[in-house]
C-alpha cells in the first residue's frame, strides 16, 4: 500500500559543480502526484542543470534524488527510471532518420519491451492527442518546430511516464508556434499528469502551475503558489526578476 501523501519525487541537497563553478548549491524540494511545478529564473540560474541532474543527463556532485522513496541513482534501473521520469527537450531530440511514428515506437520496444503492434497503437493514440497523427509517416525535417515539439511530447507520453520534465520546451520555437505547444501542455496539466517545467513563459507558470520555484544563482530563492510568487513575492530578487521579465 502506497502513502498518497508521500512525494513521488524528492530532490534533497542537490549540488552540481563544473570544476570550480558551483551551479547548484543544495537544492531541495518535493513533487507530489498531479503537481505542476514551474521553475523560473534568469538564464544561468541553474534551472536546466537541475532538470538534467534529476534525469541523470548530468551527474550530481552531491545530494540525492528519490523516486517513490528509493534512491534514483542506486536503487532504480536507469532505463526504467528514464521511462518513468520522462523528459522533453528544448531541441526536440528526434531521430532524423525515423518517421514520426517510429520515433514514438522505438523507445517503447527497446526499453519497455513492448510488442510492436501495441507500441504503434500507443504511439498513434498520443500522436492523435497532440494533433500529429496525420504526420505519422513524415520525417522530422518535414515538420515545423512546433510540430517537432508536439511529436517529442507524444514520444515521451507513449512511455507511460509518471513524471514529465520539460526543459524550456518553447524556447527554440518561433513565436507563432509557442501557443500550440503550450496548449498541449495545458491539456496535460489538466489531465493530472505530474509535470516539472523549466520555462520563460510566465503566463503558463502563473495560470497552470500548482507551485512555482524561483531560482537565483544556484539556489531556490523563493517557492510558493503562483499567486504568492507573482502577486506577493517576499524576496527582493524575485520582485526584481519579475519586474524585468514582465516589464512592470
Amino acid at each position: 500500500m502506497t502513502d498518497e501523501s508521500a512525494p513521488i519525487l524528492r530532490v534533497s541537497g542537490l549540488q552540481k559543480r563544473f570544476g570550480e563553478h558551483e551551479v547548484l548549491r543544495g537544492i531541495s524540494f518535493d513533487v507530489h502526484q498531479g503537481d505542476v511545478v514551474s521553475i523560473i529564473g534568469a538564464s544561468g540560474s541553474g534551472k536546466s542543470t537541475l532538470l538534467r541532474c534529476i534525469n541523470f543527463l548530468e551527474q550530481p556532485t552531491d545530494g540525492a534524488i528519490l523516486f517513490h522513496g528509493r534512491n534514483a541513482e542506486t536503487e532504480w534501473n536507469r532505463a526504467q527510471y528514464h521511462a518513468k521520469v520522462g523528459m522533453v527537450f528544448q531541441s526536440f531530440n528526434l531521430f532524423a532518420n525515423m518517421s514520426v511514428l517510429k520515433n514514438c515506437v522505438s523507445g517503447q520496444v527497446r526499453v519497455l519491451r513492448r510488442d510492436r503492434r501495441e507500441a504503434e497503437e500507443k504511439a498513434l493514440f498520443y500522436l492523435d492527442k497532440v494533433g500529429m497523427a496525420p504526420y505519422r509517416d513524415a520525417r522530422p525535417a518535414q515538420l515545423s518546430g512546433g510540430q517537432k515539439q508536439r511529436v517529442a511530447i507524444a514520444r515521451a507520453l507513449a512511455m507511460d511516464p509518471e513524471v514529465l520534465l520539460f526543459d524550456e520546451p518553447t524556447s527554440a520555437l518561433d513565436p507563432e508556434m509557442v501557443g500550440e505547444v503550450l496548449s498541449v501542455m495545458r491539456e496535460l496539466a489538466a489531465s493530472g499528469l505530474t509535470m516539472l517545467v523549466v520555462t520563460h513563459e510566465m503566463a503558463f507558470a502563473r495560470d497552470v502551475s500548482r507551485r512555482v520555484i524561483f531560482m537565483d544563482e544556484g539556489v531556490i530563492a523563493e517557492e510558493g503558489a503562483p499567486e504568492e510568487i507573482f502577486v506577493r513575492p517576499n524576496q527582493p530578487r524575485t520582485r526584481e526578476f519579475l519586474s524585468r521579465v514582465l516589464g512592470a
Side-chain angles (χ1 to χ4, degrees), residues 170-190:
T170 60
S171 67
L173 303 179
D174 293 332
E176 63 269 22
M177 295 172 187
V178 169
E180 65 187 63
V181 172
L182 289 179
S183 176
V184 169
M185 292 173 63
R186 286 171 186 267
E187 289 175 16
L188 293 176

Side-chain angles (χ1 to χ4, degrees), residues 66 69-77:
L66 304 180
R70 293 160 54 198
N71 189 300
E73 185 173 9
T74 60
E75 298 181 74
W76 280 91
N77 171 278

Side-chain angles (χ1 to χ4, degrees), residues 85-142:
V85 182
M87 191 154 176
V88 175
F89 302 86
Q90 55 183 296
S91 54
F92 324 125
N93 285 21
L94 298 176
F95 296 110
N97 62 333
M98 290 185 185
S99 69
V100 162
L101 181 60
K102 285 185 178 176
N103 262 282
C104 296
V105 165
S106 65
Q108 297 183 65
V109 173
R110 191 165 40 83
V111 177
L112 303 181
R113 302 285 186 245
R114 215 169 247 164
D115 171 78
R116 186 165 291 275
R117 183 187 294 270
E118 182 190 354
E120 287 188 359
E121 287 177 2
K122 178 85 71 171
L124 286 169
F125 173 81
Y126 285 112
L127 284 169
D128 183 61
K129 196 176 181 72
V130 301
M132 289 302 294
Y135 299 87
R136 55 178 289 173
D137 297 321
R139 296 292 177 96
Q142 297 171 291

